Amino acid sequence: MNAHARVAASAVEAAQTRVAGYDWPALAAELDGFGCAVIEKLLSPEECRQIAGLYPKEEHFRSHIHMARHGFGKGEYRYFRYPLPDLLGGLRSALYPRLAKVANRWSERMGQAMRYPATHAAFLDQCHAAGQTRPTPLLLQYVPGDFNCLHQDLYGDLAFPLQVAILLSEPGQDFTGGEFALTEQRPRMQSRVEVVPLRQGDAVVFAVHNRPVQGTKGNYRVNLRHGVSRLRSGMRHTVGIIFHDAK
């Protein structure tokens, strides 16, 4: 793994302890059934404020995106540079092995040859060998009228099939509107919509691109997209943890 991408062992250990406290069989069952699952109170309110407070500090980021310029919606976000803040780097490393088990099961069910390694460091080695070296965790900021169009976060040929978004602001207090939404396009059927209620510090794990669904004739593949509805008032911050790096 690129030396700049390495995460302090203490940060990983602290994140592993935090992550181990959740019911992962239940979360995996939610992911299998609906393509998303909520990890409640993954971050404390103070941690949320600390991460959101990084937004204006240029030294933490590699690029600044205005969504309207690219047709992505309305609002803005910033991609972190390596090294990531310890809290985010630790969570990225600690969440990956839990989700890799789901990812490998999905690959098998969809008849895909890809199998994901047990550690995030090993997966990043694969990304970097494929020319995908730019970090993808990002911090998003919305103000009234902003929204994020339905999309998929694919940054190269190699993509981990699950990602995480953590809400850093408190609904009803810091902002109104701005609901996280997930759509699922099913073969020869109308699309299904999942609106995920989140509180400050909650994380939603969701499928990046597609997932398997059990049908009467075996497994079939459904395609997913995610986005955020229009913010009505206030300011909303979210941090996204994407496990593959970008070209």
Side-chain angles (χ1 to χ4, degrees):
M1 183 171 63
N2 186 310
H4 296 295
R6 296 191 185 278
V7 185
S10 58
V12 175
E13 290 172 5
Q16 287 172 337
T17 299
R18 183 188 306 228
V19 165
Y22 290 92
D23 185 345
W24 283 97
L27 291 169
E30 284 282 304
L31 288 168
D32 285 342
F34 303 101
C36 62
V38 175
I39 306 174
E40 295 182 352
K41 299 180 180 178
L42 183 62
L43 296 181
S44 70
E46 179 56 29
E47 288 170 332
C48 290
R49 288 189 287 270
Q50 288 175 357
I51 295 173
L54 297 176
Y55 196 84
K57 299 178 180 179
E58 300 278 353
E59 65 269 22
H60 292 285
F61 303 98
R62 65 173 176 84
S63 64
H64 187 179
I65 306 298
H66 293 272
M67 295 189 214
R69 294 178 185 172
H70 306 277
F72 296 163
K74 189 170 180 290
E76 58 184 74
Y77 55 88
R78 290 183 159 186
Y79 287 107
F80 284 95
R81 67 169 71 249
Y82 281 134
L84 300 177
D86 280 350
L87 179 57
L88 296 182
L91 284 174
R92 197 181 189 210
S93 294
L95 287 166
Y96 172 88
R98 307 278 181 170
L99 299 179
K101 295 177 182 178
V102 177
N104 283 329
R105 190 170 67 251
W106 284 8
S107 287
E108 184 176 357
R109 289 177 59 188
M110 290 188 289
Q112 297 173 337
M114 181 65 184
R115 295 295 182 270
Y116 299 91
T119 68
H120 190 239
F123 180 62
L124 283 184
D125 283 341
Q126 293 182 355
C127 288
H128 297 171
Q132 297 178 208
T133 58
R134 295 188 298 161
T136 48
L138 69 165
L139 186 55
L140 303 99
Q141 177 174 279
Y142 301 84
V143 297
D146 289 353
F147 62 94
N148 198 344
C149 294
L150 294 170
H151 66 284
Q152 298 170 329
D153 291 312
L154 301 171
Y155 297 97
D157 294 333
L158 192 58
F160 190 71
L162 292 154
Q163 68 189 73
V164 176
I166 310 172
L167 183 61
L168 304 177
S169 308
E170 180 60 33
Q173 178 177 312
D174 297 324
F175 70 94
T176 61
E179 293 87 359
F180 178 88
L182 192 71
T183 64
E184 191 171 83
Q185 185 180 8
R186 301 173 293 173
R188 298 176 298 281
M189 300 173 70
Q190 293 182 329
S191 295
R192 185 180 71 86
V193 178
E194 186 90 6
V195 177
V196 183
L198 299 169
R199 309 299 301 184
Q200 184 182 43
D202 289 351
V204 56
V205 186
F206 56 97
V208 172
H209 182 205
N210 50 45
R211 74 179 184 92
V213 173
Q214 181 66 46
T216 55
K217 297 181 180 180
N219 288 288
Y220 63 94
R221 189 180 308 182
V222 297
N223 291 316
L224 296 99
R225 296 180 182 273
H226 65 278
V228 174
S229 70
R230 177 166 55 95
L231 204 74
R232 306 289 177 151
S233 66
M235 182 178 285
R236 179 189 191 273
H237 286 99
T238 306
V239 66
I241 299 177
I242 297 166
F243 296 95
H244 46 274
D245 277 355
K247 282 189 175 179

